Amino acid sequence: MTVPAKQTGLLRRPRASTGFWSWITTVDHKRIGILYGITAFAFFLIGGVEALLIRVQLAQPEATLLNADQYNQVFTMHGITMIFLVVMPMSSAFFNYLIPLMIGARDVAFPRLNAYSFWAFLFGGLFIYSSFFLGGAPNGGWFGYPPNSVTDPTVGMTFYAVGLIITGIASTVGAVNLAVTVLNMRAPGMSFFRMPPFVWMGLVTQFLLVFSLPIITVALFQLLFDRRFGTVFYSPDAGGDPLLWQHLFWLFGHPEVYILILPAFGIISDILPVFARKPLFGYQFVVFSGIAIGFIGFGVWAHHMFATGMGPVANTAFGISTMIIAIPTGVKIFNWMGTIWKGDIRFASPMLFALGAVAMFVIGGLSGVMHSVVPADYQQTDTYFVVAHFHYVIFGGSIFALFGAMYFWWPKVFGRMLSERVGKVQFWFLLVGFNLAFGPMHILGLQGMSRRIYTYAESLNLTAWNQASTIGAFIIAVSVAIFLVSAIASFRRPKEMSNDPWDARTLEWSTTSPPPEYNFAKTPVVTHLDDFWHKKYVETEDGEYVPVPAGGAPVHDPGHGEGDGDDVPHDVHLPSPSYYPILSALGLPVLGYGIVFEGVWWLAPLGAVILIVPLFAWALEPAVEPSAEEH
Amino acid sequence: MDQPIHTSIDTDYPVHDETSTGLPNTKLAMWIFLASECLLFGALIATYVLYRGASIEGPFPGDIFDIPYTSISAFVLLASSLTMVLALAAKQRDDEGQMRLWLLTTAMLGMVFVGGQIYEFTLFTREGLTLSTNLFGSSFFVLTGFHGVHVTVGILMLLTLVGFSYARQLPGERGELSVEMVGLYWHFVDIVWIVIFTVVYLIPTGE
């Protein structure tokens, strides 16, 4: 039965399925994933340039490339960019693209909300960056400690508060959407303990976001109100306590570091078994340790504050809870070692990056345990030792794994391989550059070089290690440039990748590369963990796995479409594209400018209107046009 | 032939159009969102509690609160939860007219509450308590203001439902779900007010 499509919205429903407008109005989770990936990578390049500026400034004592104020802006923006605009959205890119495919769903639970999440993130990022042209970027560090962040007379920290609230909205709606997707949209037979580890870590990450973001939202509102509307939350003159900010910030900020690393754990847990040609060792342990990390992650925040004078009892409690969180993390490391132990290992690029991520994360994790020892922390805090630590975990853990994920899923997403040879070259550049850049920072920290200083005296004998570090940073830049060239070059190759180039284990490899808009022509029915693998291989009596049919090519589920419109199964209702997510998201930065600048206060109500009116149209617009049936 | 090896399939999985948990997507999303909101209000209330009695200069809570007045407006808000339930029940009986009536009543009670809050805020301001007067002013206005904004958003959603109902945009089960979603949000906002009212107005500060 076909109901005539009724024109209910304000605008005519977008129809384009290719070209520019189709990307603006898309609600396809795979396209949104690609948009997330490209945007995050662009911010990665910007954040990288900021890192190079920092390193050039510090390569020489008494350097004058940047003055103190510019330096503050650059390192603050470097931190904000890498955390909120690179690692989080890059993980989102993979979650968006892969979670529905991995659980055998056609789409996410709320396709338009997904688009909204992306646009709000993009506009939030552009909003923060526009501060460079509108009176100065944030300059109070990514942690924005008051009272400095309140008393600073430039608009930078107001941009910080409003911009992070906007990206927080993006993350919250994205997290709700993906959590519902995982909980509710699994294919028949895809029980929780048949989900790939990446989906599991994704689910934990979404819950961390849901529970930690509101806390920093409150802190950011308090900061914003202090700066713009005269509240006294963080004004010591009025009895306000800047430590409240630190508690709220780190109550968000510590779960945040797991929001950054858990996706990487999931990626590693999915890549290692494929290239070791063994199932993941101790799947349940990987899952439960991930959940444990999620819970304990909320109980350790004050280890960022040992030196603030909380007293010995609190310091001890948080020191111990911090040591405890190393246990589930260690469990994961041993699982990964067990996975590759006696494996039939192929050192393809994804595998190299995944192994690199594990190795680098272990170094960073160990220096993390050193911080949990309170007396040692008193010495290390606010030195370059901490900078070394968190770059080893966030860059070494997350970015390495994310590069591995790019190499691994590139053929699935684009139907083309990235060059394996170039990939290996890039890996070694990255590994060497990374260790040369951040290894010496341990030593610099122990020598007493403090964080966030914009220059140092020659007599301090810090020059040599700083120069080594700067050289390392440039080698990283070369590595990233190699990746960029390789990525662009891959598009000159024909789009002819088979469904399953890596002999992989999870559902997304059972459909075409790239997958059709509807993902699976027939909803898969799942009977195993690593179901796809079990469809390709059969266990012989002596426990060996042999391909099915014996000696034959991997089996692909018959009936998967080739991806052109003619094959759309007639019962598939695809979500229709929509203008309203991007329109509504556009209201957020407009509203933001009205709040930041008193002179253009009228932008605030205007932004609110732009935010709200499309929401009504959105509510009236059916998610799926009935006419979508008649392709 | 390319046959799957394992043909024995559990039969207790949900059919295609149902969700894995059995809950509709929107309802699950609303619960997760409200869980998130709990932490938002948690952080705001924690701030208020931390700064309780920390203000250096007045006015202090004891100087300005009119507890009977606020109790009445709290009662009005709580009553609106009842009318919200009646609205959903009417929708479930497929009685759109009754539903609109109860939704409008709920929205009106909400407006009385917000109006009462605006009046209270102006009164307090006149008595010398503003956002910037002291910690009490900052944390009181931001906490209750956030709650007031939530109630206002709820009123907008209620009025939207009424409008959609007139435009025949609340059909059958999907419409029922929409009313239930707004109801969940509305009850949440009411419950949060019980906590705020208790912590802010009823627990004496000892001043």
Side-chain angles (χ1 to χ4, degrees):
Chain A
M1 197 181 74
T2 314
V3 187
K6 215 168 71 181
Q7 195 54 53
T8 40
L10 298 173
L11 296 162
R12 226 150 56 85
R13 192 99 198 205
R15 292 268 170 234
S17 60
T18 53
F20 178 74
W21 283 106
S22 74
W23 286 89
I24 299 290
T25 58
T26 188
V27 294
D28 177 4
H29 70 95
K30 295 182 289 299
R31 286 183 154 203
I32 291 166
I34 293 170
L35 287 172
Y36 258 116
I38 293 170
T39 313
F41 201 85
F43 279 123
F44 181 55
L45 297 179
I46 298 169
V49 169
E50 285 156 356
L52 292 181
L53 281 173
I54 293 170
R55 284 318 319 165
V56 172
Q57 167 73 13
L58 293 178
Q60 293 291 333
E62 321 277 6
T64 52
L65 176 72
L66 302 169
N67 62 33
D69 183 48
Q70 290 164 333
Y71 187 84
N72 287 346
Q73 294 181 30
V74 169
F75 85 70
T76 301
M77 286 305 286
H78 170 71
I80 294 171
T81 305
M82 289 304 190
I83 287 167
F84 295 103
L85 307 179
V86 177
V87 178
M88 280 170 79
M90 191 68 90
S91 303
S92 271
F94 287 102
F95 286 144
N96 271 297
Y97 199 97
L98 294 170
I99 281 182
L101 284 165
M102 283 180 159
I103 61 173
R106 287 236 153 81
D107 208 329
V108 292
F110 305 101
R112 287 177 294 180
L113 202 60
N114 211 20
Y116 187 82
S117 161
F118 167 73
W119 295 113
F121 146 65
L122 174 63
F123 294 147
L126 294 177
F127 176 82
I128 300 178
Y129 264 93
S130 71
S131 62
F132 271 115
F133 313 101
L134 297 171
N139 55 4
W142 84 281
F143 41 81
Y145 284 173
N148 287 353
S149 57
V150 176
T151 53
D152 183 78
T154 64
V155 289
M157 292 313 284
T158 319
F159 267 101
Y160 164 90
V162 178
L164 290 191
I165 289 170
I166 295 175
T167 57
I169 291 169
S171 298
T172 306
V173 296
V176 171
N177 188 6
L178 287 175
V180 173
T181 305
V182 176
L183 294 173
N184 252 1
M185 310 267 290
R186 283 165 286 133
M190 177 61 84
S191 60
F192 279 115
F193 285 93
R194 288 177 192 162
M195 296 197 310
F198 182 66
V199 177
W200 257 113
M201 293 308 112
L203 184 62
V204 176
T205 306
Q206 309 317 321
F207 275 105
L208 286 176
L209 284 165
V210 163
F211 291 127
S212 68
L213 280 169
I215 300 169
I216 192 170
T217 305
V218 167
L220 290 167
F221 268 109
Q222 290 170 347
L223 176 64
L224 176 67
F225 277 47
D226 269 13
R227 287 185 60 86
R228 285 289 286 110
F229 307 120
T231 56
V232 291
F233 288 110
Y234 298 117
S235 160
D237 297 342
D241 188 357
L243 272 188
L244 171 66
W245 170 271
Q246 293 200 27
H247 279 291
L248 293 177
F249 183 85
W250 289 114
L251 196 44
F252 150 80
H254 199 82
E256 169 71 11
V257 307
Y258 293 102
I259 290 164
L260 301 176
I261 198 66
L262 281 175
F265 286 178
I267 289 165
I268 295 166
S269 305
D270 266 5
I271 289 180
L272 292 185
V274 171
F275 293 94
R277 290 186 244 230
K278 275 180 65 196
L280 181 66
F281 177 76
Y283 167 84
Q284 278 90 345
F285 283 91
V286 174
V287 170
F288 280 114
S289 61
I291 297 171
I293 289 171
F295 275 104
I296 309 172
F298 276 98
V300 302
W301 79 91
H303 70 210
H304 296 264
M305 303 163 62
F306 284 153
T308 59
M310 294 185 300
V313 177
N315 279 359
T316 310
F318 282 101
I320 290 171
S321 65
T322 304
M323 292 176 199
I324 286 173
I325 206 167
I327 294 170
T329 317
V331 166
K332 277 193 153 57
I333 308 280
F334 281 105
N335 277 302
W336 294 329
M337 285 162 59
T339 305
I340 51 179
W341 183 266
K342 289 188 175 171
D344 181 6
I345 298 172
R346 287 176 289 168
F347 287 103
S349 314
M351 183 65 166
L352 288 177
F353 281 100
L355 292 174
V358 176
M360 297 304 104
F361 183 82
V362 167
I363 300 175
L366 290 175
S367 58
V369 177
M370 290 170 73
H371 292 303
S372 70
V373 181
V374 178
D377 184 80
Y378 273 49
Q379 290 301 311
Q380 294 154 4
T381 194
D382 274 339
T383 69
Y384 261 76
F385 193 86
V386 179
V387 182
H389 159 71
F390 67 68
H391 279 89
Y392 265 88
V393 288
I394 296 176
F395 193 138
S398 296
I399 301 275
F400 268 71
L402 286 167
F403 267 119
M406 285 184 230
Y407 279 93
F408 187 55
W409 280 294
W410 197 274
K412 177 52 64 187
V413 175
F414 296 113
R416 304 163 167 99
M417 287 290 266
L418 283 172
S419 160
E420 269 297 290
R421 233 182 36 217
V422 177
K424 283 167 192 165
V425 173
Q426 192 223 331
F427 169 75
W428 288 109
F429 267 91
L430 192 63
L431 190 74
V432 170
F434 172 83
N435 282 293
L436 189 58
F438 302 111
M441 288 184 186
H442 291 110
I443 301 163
L444 286 169
L446 294 177
Q447 286 181 344
M449 178 165 161
S450 65
R451 288 168 81 172
R452 306 167 202 132
I453 53 159
Y454 83 107
T455 194
Y456 50 89
E458 190 164 10
S459 56
L460 293 171
N461 275 330
L462 301 169
T463 315
W465 288 119
N466 268 308
Q467 276 168 350
S469 175
T470 302
I471 293 168
F474 276 91
I475 297 175
I476 294 173
V478 171
S479 163
V480 175
I482 294 172
F483 175 82
L484 207 56
V485 171
S486 173
I488 293 165
S490 81
F491 288 100
R492 298 174 57 181
R493 259 172 256 144
K495 199 174 183 176
E496 55 181 12
M497 195 38 62
S498 69
N499 291 4
D500 180 24
W502 305 113
D503 190 14
R505 313 179 70 86
T506 39
L507 272 185
E508 75 273 23
W509 301 98
S510 68
T511 185
T512 52
S513 310
E517 209 182 327
Y518 46 85
N519 289 354
F520 303 96
K522 237 174 60 195
T523 304
V525 174
V526 179
T527 55
H528 281 83
L529 175 64
D530 288 341
D531 194 65
F532 180 52
W533 174 273
H534 286 281
K535 288 203 169 77
K536 294 188 291 184
Y537 291 87
V538 66
E539 198 175 356
T540 61
E541 275 161 18
D542 33 323
E544 297 271 310
Y545 277 93
V546 294
V548 186
V555 177
H556 296 302
D557 216 3
H560 290 306
E562 290 302 308
D564 54 352
D566 297 341
D567 286 347
V568 181
H570 63 272
D571 61 334
V572 172
H573 291 254
L574 291 172
S576 312
S578 174
Y579 290 114
Y580 301 120
I582 185 172
L583 280 178
S584 177
L586 202 55
L588 293 168
V590 176
L591 180 60
Y593 287 118
I595 293 172
V596 172
F597 295 106
E598 217 164 337
V600 289
W601 62 269
W602 48 270
L603 279 176
L606 178 69
V609 170
I610 301 175
L611 175 68
I612 292 168
V613 171
L615 289 182
F616 284 103
W618 176 339
L620 285 170
E621 179 188 67
V624 180
E625 286 293 339
S627 60
E629 218 173 323
E630 327 154 338
H631 254 285
Chain B
M1 270 306 290
D2 295 350
Q3 284 297 318
I5 298 307
H6 308 277
T7 46
S8 63
I9 294 162
D10 302 331
T11 47
D12 56 346
Y13 54 76
V15 296
H16 175 63
D17 281 330
E18 285 178 7
T19 60
S20 311
T21 57
L23 279 171
N25 285 344
T26 40
K27 200 187 274 190
L28 188 57
M30 182 56 89
W31 279 114
I32 296 175
F33 171 70
L34 293 180
S36 178
E37 290 276 277
C38 283
L39 281 123
L40 186 94
F41 282 105
L44 287 166
I45 293 169
T47 302
Y48 185 88
V49 172
L50 177 76
Y51 285 152
R52 168 194 288 279
S55 297
I56 293 166
E57 49 195 60
F60 300 105
D63 305 335
I64 59 161
F65 280 161
D66 179 0
I67 292 171
Y69 173 84
T70 317
S71 303
I72 292 169
S73 93
F75 178 77
V76 168
L77 190 66
L78 291 190
S80 74
S81 254
L82 175 66
T83 56
M84 187 68 228
V85 170
L86 292 172
L88 177 62
K91 177 72 193 165
Q92 280 163 343
R93 285 196 314 271
D94 221 10
D95 187 346
E96 293 261 330
Q98 282 270 312
M99 178 200 76
R100 286 199 283 264
L101 181 71
W102 288 122
L103 284 179
L104 280 172
T105 314
T106 312
M108 211 192 63
L109 291 173
M111 282 187 258
V112 170
F113 175 81
V114 174
Q117 198 173 35
I118 292 170
Y119 173 75
E120 199 183 31
F121 278 16
T122 26
L123 210 66
F124 290 177
T125 313
R126 217 172 296 145
E127 285 172 29
L129 184 76
T130 64
L131 269 174
S132 51
T133 313
N134 56 18
L135 286 172
F136 168 56
S138 295
S139 50
F140 170 79
F141 282 118
V142 171
L143 168 59
T144 52
F146 255 80
H147 182 263
V149 169
H150 274 76
V151 177
T152 309
V153 170
I155 294 169
L156 277 177
M157 294 200 292
L158 290 165
L159 295 179
T160 308
L161 279 182
V162 175
F164 281 12
S165 164
Y166 277 113
R168 306 236 165 278
Q169 288 288 335
L170 288 175
E173 263 181 64
R174 269 200 49 217
E176 220 172 272
L177 196 59
S178 306
V179 179
E180 203 184 337
M181 290 307 93
V182 175
L184 275 179
Y185 175 85
W186 191 260
H187 297 315
F188 170 79
V189 170
D190 281 6
I191 292 167
V192 167
W193 181 251
I194 299 178
V195 179
I196 294 175
F197 183 60
T198 311
V199 170
V200 174
Y201 291 85
L202 297 186
I203 298 177
T205 53
E207 277 161 4

